[in-house]
Amino acid sequence: RVTGQQQDINNLMQEKNDVDEENAYLKNEFSNLYQKLKDKSQELKDTEECAQKKEEQSRLVIKNMEEENKKLNTCCADLLNDLEKLRKQEAEWKMEKSGNDARIKNLETDLTEAREEIKELRITCSNLSSQIAVKQEELSHKNCDVIRAEKELQELQNLYRENTEHTTQQAELIKKLQDLNTD
């Protein structure tokens, strides 16, 4: 009977070790996921900052173009007296406007791409947060299992100690009975 209990204790100790190993693995996986979340958050922050800078640059370019446009309009008004000069100035203005429009279009495309990238990073962050929540829940369940196993081990150790005490008492009683029998 004692051997069976010892085997049970050994089995429980093995289970506890297995649970401890799995717990350590889950903690490590949680740590890795948390680091990935931090990395993705930093990446998202960097991307948002980059998008904000591009947006500010776009606004500055547009403002500069608007100011340039005003200058060109003033120039055109001043050059109305000379038709040949006006035509040359108009051709130059059209070329500049075309280049500016192309730059604005490129900047708008860049801004759209940056917004899409931010959107994807937010989805990735959300997915990682969900994975972390699942891992934390698993970790919580494993911790409960470890606590339950430790309690069971304590109970078995108490039973083993009581059994040992009873065995000792029985041995003493047998010895006394043998002594009495001899007497």
Side-chain angles (χ1 to χ4, degrees):
R1 181 177 172 175
V2 173
T3 305
Q5 288 178 342
Q6 184 62 43
Q7 184 62 39
D8 289 345
I9 289 170
N10 290 341
N11 290 342
L12 284 170
M13 288 298 289
Q14 183 60 43
E15 271 185 41
K16 182 184 181 298
N17 289 340
D18 293 345
V19 168
D20 285 346
E21 285 176 16
E22 189 173 352
N23 200 8
Y25 170 77
L26 288 172
K27 281 182 182 177
N28 186 38
E29 193 171 341
F30 172 77
S31 175
N32 291 341
L33 284 171
Y34 186 73
Q35 186 59 45
K36 282 182 185 176
L37 175 63
K38 277 174 61 178
D39 294 345
K40 289 295 180 182
S41 296
Q42 185 60 44
E43 193 176 319
L44 175 62
K45 183 179 174 188
D46 294 345
T47 305
E48 285 175 342
E49 286 175 4
C50 182
Q52 191 176 10
K53 284 179 186 175
K54 284 185 180 182
E55 219 172 323
E56 287 170 7
Q57 287 174 352
S58 297
R59 280 197 291 271
L60 187 62
V61 168
I62 289 169
K63 184 180 176 187
N64 290 340
M65 283 190 261
E66 286 172 351
E67 288 173 7
E68 202 173 317
N69 212 4
K70 285 179 187 176
K71 288 178 185 176
L72 288 173
N73 286 334
T74 303
C75 213
C76 284
D78 291 343
L79 295 176
L80 274 173
N81 294 330
D82 191 345
L83 186 59
E84 196 60 31
K85 288 182 182 179
L86 177 64
R87 285 183 181 156
K88 288 179 184 177
Q89 195 70 27
E90 185 181 8
E92 288 174 13
W93 179 80
K94 283 181 179 178
M95 284 176 60
E96 280 186 33
K97 189 174 183 318
S98 174
N100 289 341
D101 287 346
R103 280 192 290 176
I104 288 172
K105 190 172 183 180
N106 289 340
L107 287 170
E108 285 174 346
T109 302
D110 290 348
L111 185 60
T112 302
E113 288 172 0
R115 284 185 176 145
E116 282 300 316
E117 195 174 332
I118 288 170
K119 195 177 186 181
E120 289 172 10
L121 284 170
R122 283 190 176 137
I123 290 168
T124 302
C125 268
S126 175
N127 290 341
L128 284 172
S129 293
S130 298
Q131 288 178 15
I132 285 173
V134 168
K135 293 297 177 186
Q136 284 175 329
E137 183 68 26
E138 288 177 8
L139 190 60
S140 175
H141 288 306
K142 293 296 178 185
N143 282 338
C144 287
D145 291 344
V146 168
I147 290 167
R148 190 167 38 255
E150 285 173 346
K151 282 181 182 176
E152 289 175 8
L153 178 62
Q154 185 63 42
E155 288 172 8
L156 282 170
Q157 286 174 338
N158 289 341
L159 282 172
Y160 180 72
R161 191 169 27 266
E162 287 174 16
N163 194 15
T164 304
E165 288 172 7
H166 286 171
T167 304
T168 305
Q169 288 173 357
Q170 285 175 351
E172 287 173 4
L173 190 59
I174 289 168
K175 178 137 179 38
K176 283 180 184 177
L177 285 171
Q178 286 173 344
D179 290 345
L180 282 172
N181 192 23
T182 305
D183 287 346

